[in-house]
């Protein structure tokens, strides 16, 4: 059954999106500020963990702290998402499992967040060994791309349905019962977060 956008939402869901970098935060902030979605997303809060190079476990720990603090203040979040990359980070598996236990949504990307930016242009299951290699591939389609320096959502919005379709296809190609999500490459769950935002 096709889900339809709610026209009456007097109690907007309070959502925290905790990101490891400014690129991710800017993307979700741009969705929040997009004229098509801004009224329904007033209670969505994309934020970056304050650390020089936050690790996945730091992001999940910070999300747990903010969840607890918000509950104690009587202003609990309806949903918390943590957004982090593979990027060969050794803590990614433990962080992912911790986030699951906490009931957080997880926007995991491999090898990096820009995997999501490539999907509007390519239906490919090619793995990238590094974020730099992924950025080189992205530059062929999005030559003006600079990390955290432009409105990537606005630029890619016209291809959003293609990105969502390709993300679903990619999961079918890559997922295997014996392989943990954090060991998949390529991969992205950013589509699940985007869908939750635009269909709320």
């Amino acid at each position: 059954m096709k889900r339809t956008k709610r026209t009456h939402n007097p109690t907007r869901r309070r959502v925290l999106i905790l990101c490891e970098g400014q690129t991710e935060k800017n993307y979700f902030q741009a969705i929040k500020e997009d004229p098509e979605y801004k009224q329904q997303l007033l209670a969505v809060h994309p934020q970056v963990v304050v650390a020089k190079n936050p690790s996945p476990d730091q992001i999940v720990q910070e999300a747990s702290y903010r969840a607890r603090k918000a509950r104690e203040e009587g202003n609990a979040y309806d949903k918390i998402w943590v957004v982090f990359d593979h990027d060969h980070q050794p803590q990614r598996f433990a962080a992912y499992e911790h986030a699951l236990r906490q009931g957080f949504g997880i926007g995991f990307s491999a090898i990096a967040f820009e995997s999501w930016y490539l999907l509007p242009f390519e239906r490919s299951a090619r793995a990238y060994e590094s974020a730099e290699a992924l950025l080189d591939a992205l530059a062929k389609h999005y030559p003006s791309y600079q990390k955290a320096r432009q409105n990537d959502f606005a630029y890619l919005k016209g291809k959003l349905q293609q990105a969502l379709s390709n993300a679903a296809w990619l999961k079918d190609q890559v997922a295997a019962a014996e392989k943990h999500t954090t060991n998949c490459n390529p991969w992205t769950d950013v589509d699940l977060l985007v869908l939750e935002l635009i269909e709320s």
Side-chain angles (χ1 to χ4, degrees):
M1 180 180 291
K2 184 177 181 180
R3 286 174 286 182
T4 56
K5 196 180 296 183
R6 282 177 261 163
T7 53
H8 300 289
N9 188 14
T11 55
R12 294 181 178 88
R13 296 182 75 235
R14 187 165 132 84
V15 178
L16 172 65
I17 305 173
L18 203 56
C19 307
E20 67 179 340
Q22 196 66 36
T23 297
E24 296 90 335
K25 188 261 187 184
N26 287 0
Y27 180 78
F28 297 116
Q29 185 68 32
I31 298 178
K32 176 180 176 174
E33 294 174 359
D34 187 90
E36 186 174 352
Y37 305 115
K38 64 181 180 181
Q39 285 303 314
Q40 71 201 45
L41 299 179
L42 289 173
V44 172
H45 305 281
Q47 297 178 12
V48 177
V49 172
V50 180
K52 186 174 181 180
N53 293 297
S55 61
D57 57 325
Q58 286 178 306
I59 295 165
V60 177
Q61 288 168 12
E62 179 68 14
S64 299
Y65 167 75
R66 295 193 192 191
R68 184 172 63 254
K69 184 177 179 184
R71 286 195 303 270
E72 291 170 353
E73 293 172 349
N75 194 21
Y77 291 102
D78 296 295
K79 184 68 177 282
I80 292 178
W81 283 82
V82 290
V83 181
F84 59 89
D85 298 340
H86 180 301
D87 213 17
H88 301 292
Q89 299 186 87
Q91 313 93 342
R92 66 187 187 274
F93 174 86
Y96 191 100
E97 292 297 310
H98 185 194
L100 284 180
R101 291 193 298 273
Q102 294 290 313
F104 299 154
I106 306 170
F108 175 75
S109 298
I111 191 79
F113 186 77
E114 283 82 3
S115 297
W116 170 242
Y117 290 173
L118 192 58
L119 286 171
F121 305 105
E122 289 188 7
R123 174 167 285 196
S124 171
R126 176 186 172 188
Y128 292 93
E129 180 61 26
S130 66
E132 290 74 19
L134 173 59
L135 291 175
D136 287 343
L138 180 61
K140 297 172 185 175
H141 304 286
Y142 189 175
S144 62
Y145 178 68
Q146 293 180 290
K147 288 181 73 69
R149 294 192 180 180
Q150 65 278 301
N151 187 331
D152 298 312
F153 178 71
Y155 183 83
L156 299 170
K157 184 180 178 182
K159 298 178 180 291
L160 181 57
Q161 290 306 314
Q162 186 65 37
L164 292 169
S165 174
N166 287 347
W169 174 87
L170 178 62
K171 289 184 179 70
D172 286 341
Q173 300 301 307
V174 177
E178 70 276 12
K179 184 182 287 188
H180 192 270
T181 297
T182 57
N183 290 326
C184 292
N185 181 12
W187 189 268
T188 187
D189 283 320
V190 174
D191 59 316
L192 304 180
L193 174 48
V194 171
L195 278 170
E196 181 165 302
L197 294 175
I198 68 177
E199 294 185 350
S200 62

